[in-house]
Amino acid sequence: MSPLPVTTAAPGTVVDPVAGPATVLSMSIGSVPLSDALAWTAIGAFVVAAVIQWYGATDPARYLAAGAWVVFGVFWLTLAPHYYLEVKSPIETLLTVAALPLCAYTGYLLATGRESLLLLSKAVAFMGLIYLPVETIPVVRTWLIETTAAQTHFGMELLGHSPGLEEGANGYQSRFAFDPDETVTGRTTYIITACTGIGSMAIFGGLIAAVKAPLKRKAVAFPLAVGVIWFLNLVRNVFIGLASPWGWFQQDIFVTIATEFMGAPADRTSYIVAHNFIAQSLSIVALLGITYLVLRILPEILEPLEDVLYILTGTEYDLADALGQEMRTDGGARTDAGASADHDSGPSVDGDDDADR
């Protein structure tokens, strides 16, 4: 979502979203945005592929999932103009452009026999089932956005700022009502779906739901991941929400980069630096740290992660060995004598997996 022009916000105020939305395109199929239609088509195909694999039809599942990966890649590519022209995020733009060839390659590997990628496909199916209802069901989206805005405002109050909340450009009570005459840049921000952390929560929720592991360990790993994401996301929102109006990064070098190389207004510099560079870069570091915490409890997620690395590099990896972790699938440390038998030990995997479906 692009910043509001001055004439559509409060007098003298320019508003930025704290983060770019996942699906904003003018193209549509009937009344459904093209990106939404592609996302639902891909996730639906992933779900069907997981179901028919569960019934033993592995080859049809591979071919269906292969096609779903291609559609999924096209979905991400349709978002590239938005992230480049409106959000002006180099990281998100590069990721959306790279998604199509990577997804197409994943589909090719599936179609040519790499059956292990069905687990990664299943994880993406669960991710979509967690994320898409939030993005597309108004009552859920409203609750999540406004709750996140209220919690972010509380974080600002702890730091001595109490601007109040008012209706943002998206129609929710999510805009931080800083007085433009009292701030450095005259800008402010508002919360949208992508600011809630639901995307990262969906990633870990999908991985945790997809792997075969005892339900007890899954029940520990999921709230741990969600709790850490929730806290770090609020810190990020407070940081961006204060950096933008108070001009924390309005130094000449940053203004030059924003105006000369990114075509942004000078007073938007602090927002761009805080959101597009600092917050997004640290988010990658945070995701790696959360991944490490989760795999300590649920090492089974290493399997789909190894497939991700294979897609990216073309090289097979043993992440447990690379991390110096000899771990069993019941969460304990492996012994040399029992390492080969660990995948058959512990509580009934099949029963737990069925309960998670």
Side-chain angles (χ1 to χ4, degrees), residues 161-308:
H161 300 271
S162 185
L165 284 170
E166 59 189 17
E167 185 174 306
N170 51 7
Y172 307 113
Q173 291 295 315
S174 64
R175 178 181 179 271
F176 304 111
F178 285 101
D179 186 337
D181 295 328
E182 295 181 358
T183 59
V184 174
T185 64
R187 305 187 75 92
T188 189
T189 57
Y190 60 98
I191 299 295
I192 59 174
T193 305
C195 314
T196 64
I198 187 62
S200 297
M201 294 177 190
I203 290 173
F204 285 97
L207 288 171
I208 292 167
V211 298
K212 290 185 177 181
L215 186 58
K216 181 178 180 180
R217 286 195 287 112
K218 289 187 175 187
V220 173
F222 181 71
L224 171 66
V226 170
V228 174
I229 291 168
W230 169 81
F231 175 75
L232 293 179
N233 186 66
L234 285 181
V235 171
R236 183 191 72 105
N237 287 346
V238 171
F239 168 64
I240 298 171
L242 293 178
S244 179
W246 294 110
W248 289 357
F249 303 103
Q250 291 300 125
Q251 292 78 17
D252 290 344
I253 185 172
F254 297 132
V255 172
T256 299
I257 292 172
T259 57
E260 298 297 326
F261 298 100
M262 304 183 70
D267 60 2
R268 197 171 186 243
T269 299
S270 287
Y271 169 79
I272 290 175
V273 173
H275 173 258
N276 293 7
F277 294 100
I278 296 176
Q280 288 185 355
S281 298
L282 290 179
S283 293
I284 295 173
V285 176
L287 287 175
L288 292 175
I290 297 167
T291 300
Y292 181 77
L293 290 177
V294 171
L295 70 84
R296 296 292 297 172
I297 301 169
L298 202 68
E300 289 85 352
I301 69 170
L302 289 174
E303 184 178 346
L305 294 180
E306 287 170 348
D307 269 326
V308 170

Side-chain angles (χ1 to χ4, degrees), residues 14-275:
V14 184
V15 189
D16 286 305
V18 175
T23 53
V24 179
L25 279 179
S26 59
M27 294 179 290
S28 63
I29 299 175
S31 61
V32 180
L34 175 61
S35 54
D36 282 1
L38 290 170
W40 277 112
T41 299
I43 296 304
F46 282 131
V47 170
V48 174
V51 171
I52 62 178
Q53 182 200 13
W54 188 74
Y55 279 102
T58 301
D59 286 343
R62 282 194 300 108
Y63 293 123
L64 179 58
W69 277 104
V70 175
V71 175
F72 197 52
V74 174
F75 155 72
W76 284 111
L77 185 63
T78 62
L79 301 182
H82 166 71
Y83 285 117
Y84 178 72
L85 297 173
E86 298 182 30
V87 179
K88 298 185 185 299
S89 169
I91 293 176
E92 288 174 307
T93 301
L94 289 174
L95 289 175
T96 52
V97 171
L100 179 56
L102 289 173
C103 287
Y105 180 56
T106 304
Y108 168 78
L109 292 174
L110 263 170
T112 54
R114 192 175 177 89
E115 187 178 324
S116 65
L117 284 170
L118 284 172
L119 178 59
L120 182 60
S121 303
K122 181 181 177 184
V124 174
F126 280 114
M127 293 175 198
L129 292 177
I130 294 171
Y131 182 83
L132 287 180
V134 173
E135 177 68 21
T136 58
I137 298 176
V139 64
V140 178
R141 185 170 63 250
T142 299
W143 175 83
L144 192 59
I145 289 174
E146 294 189 349
T147 299
T148 301
Q151 292 173 345
T152 301
H153 189 271
F154 176 72
M156 291 180 176
E157 289 182 320
L158 294 178
L159 297 177
H161 300 271
S162 185
L165 284 170
E166 59 189 17
E167 185 174 306
N170 51 7
Y172 307 113
Q173 291 295 315
S174 64
R175 178 181 179 271
F176 304 111
F178 285 101
D179 186 337
D181 295 328
E182 295 181 358
T183 59
V184 174
T185 64
R187 305 187 75 92
T188 189
T189 57
Y190 60 98
I191 299 295
I192 59 174
T193 305
C195 314
T196 64
I198 187 62
S200 297
M201 294 177 190
I203 290 173
F204 285 97
L207 288 171
I208 292 167
V211 298
K212 290 185 177 181
L215 186 58
K216 181 178 180 180
R217 286 195 287 112
K218 289 187 175 187
V220 173
F222 181 71
L224 171 66
V226 170
V228 174
I229 291 168
W230 169 81
F231 175 75
L232 293 179
N233 186 66
L234 285 181
V235 171
R236 183 191 72 105
N237 287 346
V238 171
F239 168 64
I240 298 171
L242 293 178
S244 179
W246 294 110
W248 289 357
F249 303 103
Q250 291 300 125
Q251 292 78 17
D252 290 344
I253 185 172
F254 297 132
V255 172
T256 299
I257 292 172
T259 57
E260 298 297 326
F261 298 100
M262 304 183 70
D267 60 2
R268 197 171 186 243
T269 299
S270 287
Y271 169 79
I272 290 175
V273 173
H275 173 258

